[in-house]
Amino acid sequence: MSRHDTGAITAAPGQRVTVPLAPPRGVAVMHPLTGGDELDLSDALGPLTPVAAETALLLAGGAELDGQPADGGALDGLVAGDRNRLLLALLCASYGAPGHLIMTCEGEGCGAVHEVPFEAAMFLGAVPDVSDGTVETEEGPLGLRLPTGADIAASGGSAARLLALCADGPVASGAVAQAEVWLATADPCAEIALAAECDACGAVIGGRLDPLELLRARGGRRGGGAGGVGPLGLLRAGRGRGGGVLAEFDLLARRYHWSEAELLAMPAHRRRRYVRMVWAEGGATARGAA
């Protein structure tokens, strides 16, 4: 009940990413974040709910829907999987897609860490075929539509409330499981589940990929080590924690004499490439300055 349209998707850092959407929408475009965007978001995201934080990030990324600039209401009206895929597109455009995820086995007495290959295009192209449908239950046909960001916000975290918002009538207890299967199948990116087998103990390692948390990790850290939610994390080249965007501005202003306005306007991915170059030249001294 979803299609994988990966052939035309380009997800290179520093470039805008075009993503197909669930009907009746056509396509969306995400643009790379700049240093100015990152600074604004660092102050704004903290007190926001997850849905509001997602929308703020998409607005900062200059989201376009079917060729027109999107507002918050339009973004909140997108189905959950489309919102997750657009956040992943923003991650790819701004920082580059992670080539691997770190998955830690939570089996009893294990704790083995694995580097699992990650292909962003596989998720970016997982487009729902439909936005609504009918499930045949023992109580009769039940009409359902895919939940949107607005629905998730209105549900207050209650799965039962969310299901009620997306159904065209009361949901009998015997129909809940069927309805949930339809929703999960119709929009596989509403909750992106990942699984791998642990080489050490043979257990199945499970986790949920949360694009919002990946963006927080990339935007709020300069890149090193493993981070993430639950057993999932990003594998990134070795840069330590600390500093942040302003520290990178300071480092580059001292090295290249760029103005604050130039640094604010520079795409995040390009700025971090320059930071890595300065570190490579200056070693520990440059790291200390950052």
Side-chain angles (χ1 to χ4, degrees):
M1 293 166 59
S2 66
R3 65 185 188 276
H4 281 74
D5 183 10
T6 62
I9 296 177
T10 301
Q15 299 182 16
R16 66 181 193 173
V17 180
T18 300
V19 179
L21 299 175
R25 290 287 187 181
V27 297
V29 176
M30 295 305 303
H31 299 263
L33 294 173
T34 66
D37 296 327
E38 289 179 299
L39 283 182
D40 291 341
L41 289 166
S42 67
D43 294 330
L45 291 184
L48 297 181
T49 65
V51 171
E54 290 171 358
T55 300
L57 279 161
L58 295 177
L59 287 171
E64 300 175 18
L65 300 179
D66 296 324
Q68 299 297 321
D71 59 22
L75 292 169
D76 286 346
L78 295 178
V79 301
D82 280 356
R83 287 168 61 87
N84 276 338
R85 293 187 303 111
L86 289 182
L87 289 169
L88 185 56
L90 181 60
L91 176 76
C92 294
S94 301
Y95 308 109
H100 293 77
L101 294 175
I102 295 176
M103 299 187 73
T104 304
C105 180
E106 297 185 333
E108 185 175 355
C110 185
V113 178
H114 302 274
E115 298 176 10
V116 181
F118 178 75
E119 296 184 21
M122 182 176 69
F123 298 100
L124 293 175
V127 191
D129 286 327
V130 296
S131 294
D132 53 58
T134 302
V135 177
E136 294 296 334
T137 72
E138 292 182 0
E139 291 75 16
L142 176 65
L144 293 168
R145 61 175 176 78
L146 297 179
T148 65
D151 293 326
I152 295 171
S155 74
S158 166
R161 173 62 176 158
L162 182 61
L163 183 56
L165 288 169
C166 297
D168 66 358
V171 183
S173 59
V176 170
Q178 289 173 277
E180 289 178 342
V181 168
W182 184 89
L183 292 171
T185 305
D187 191 5
C189 286
E191 285 197 2
I192 304 174
L194 299 178
E197 182 177 343
C198 179
D199 294 336
C201 70
V204 175
I205 311 169
R208 183 172 68 88
L209 181 70
D210 188 337
L212 173 61
E213 292 304 321
L214 293 186
L215 273 163
R216 287 184 189 272
R218 280 286 172 108
R221 304 169 68 174
R222 293 185 308 162
V229 181
L232 291 177
L234 284 173
L235 178 66
R236 296 193 288 269
R239 287 198 286 173
R241 299 187 67 174
V245 176
L246 285 176
E248 292 183 352
F249 282 6
D250 179 70
L251 179 67
L252 296 181
R254 293 172 185 271
R255 175 62 177 81
Y256 298 108
H257 307 291
W258 287 325
S259 68
E260 183 179 54
E262 290 173 312
L263 291 166
L264 286 169
M266 185 178 295
H269 175 72
R270 187 189 306 168
R271 184 188 74 246
R272 292 182 178 187
R273 288 178 61 187
Y274 282 117
V275 168
R276 287 194 294 270
M277 290 169 59
V278 175
W279 281 359
E281 292 175 0
T285 301
R287 288 181 176 84

